[in-house]
Amino acid sequence: MEVLQTHIAGVLLIKPHVFGDNRGFFLETFQQERYRSAGIALPFVQDNRSRSRKGILRGLHFQRQHPQGKLVSVARGRVFDVAVDIRPESPTFGQWFGAVLDDEKHHQLWVPPGLAHGFCVLSDVADFVYKCTDFYYSEDEGSVRWDDPEIGIGWPFEEPILSEKDAKAPLLRDLFL
């Protein structure tokens, strides 16, 4: 696998080796020692999968007291995936990294604990899968506005389909008043 460090400390774009022929393909989506040597050493405690349709944007989410590292990929379809550095002490605080993840290249994004995460669906349908380093606690969840102008994410849609909660999320600066 090829591991690319992004401009945000700890955020990795992972390009697994895909072995394919006329019958289909095979790839390892996780192998503990290989990922540990790439810098992903936290234990995973929960796997999640969601299905969404084109134009849906989920995020930007994080957990306050139980921050989750997430190893994300797409099992079906195509998404624009985003990590935002919300660590106040970080030199890249407020910056974002985005990548297209799909079921053809099988790239993965490692979003370390302490970052906000979100994605929007580019294909008709997408199945989004991710491994988490901590359990999900609904009462601990926080969010940042998807269109916060100070972050300036280059989303591919101007008017995505949002949940009520995501539409009312605060700006990043309001989280640290």
Side-chain angles (χ1 to χ4, degrees):
M1 73 183 179
E2 181 182 4
V3 179
L4 305 173
Q5 173 64 55
T6 70
H7 72 281
I8 298 175
V11 176
L12 304 173
L13 182 63
I14 301 164
K15 299 179 177 183
H17 293 297
V18 180
F19 304 94
D21 59 25
N22 62 349
R23 299 168 297 153
F25 68 89
F26 171 84
L27 75 144
E28 288 181 347
T29 58
F30 179 75
Q31 198 269 10
Q32 184 177 0
E33 292 305 315
R34 192 169 295 122
Y35 281 70
R36 180 173 302 189
S37 66
I40 303 171
L42 296 171
F44 291 107
V45 300
Q46 182 174 324
D47 286 359
N48 299 320
R49 181 174 181 159
S50 70
R51 177 170 290 160
S52 303
R53 61 184 162 84
K54 187 172 190 168
I56 289 179
L57 189 149
R58 296 184 184 271
L60 300 161
H61 302 152
F62 63 94
Q63 289 196 156
R64 290 175 170 79
Q65 300 302 313
H66 300 275
Q68 296 176 307
K70 296 178 181 177
L71 180 62
V72 303
S73 62
V74 172
R76 176 170 99 174
R78 183 177 176 90
V79 307
F80 181 65
D81 195 66
V82 174
V84 177
D85 191 344
I86 60 169
R87 302 169 291 192
E89 72 286 352
S90 172
T92 55
F93 175 76
Q95 294 182 28
W96 64 277
F97 175 80
V100 172
L101 304 178
D102 62 32
D103 61 4
E104 292 181 17
K105 293 183 180 176
H106 306 284
H107 293 172
Q108 299 171 309
L109 191 66
W110 166 244
V111 181
L115 277 74
H117 173 260
F119 66 93
C120 67
V121 179
L122 304 173
S123 55
D124 288 339
V125 173
D127 284 1
F128 191 79
V129 295
Y130 52 109
K131 301 179 85 54
C132 299
T133 61
D134 204 340
F135 298 106
Y136 172 72
Y137 298 96
S138 61
E139 68 279 0
D140 193 37
E141 187 173 50
S143 58
V144 177
R145 272 274 296 274
W146 69 279
D147 62 346
D148 185 324
E150 290 184 24
I151 299 172
I153 297 170
W155 294 107
F157 299 115
E158 290 183 22
E159 294 186 30
I161 302 164
L162 302 166
S163 70
E164 185 176 336
K165 177 181 72 175
D166 288 347
K168 294 179 178 180
L171 299 172
L172 181 59
R173 69 172 166 220
D174 294 335
L175 292 175
F176 299 98
L177 291 177

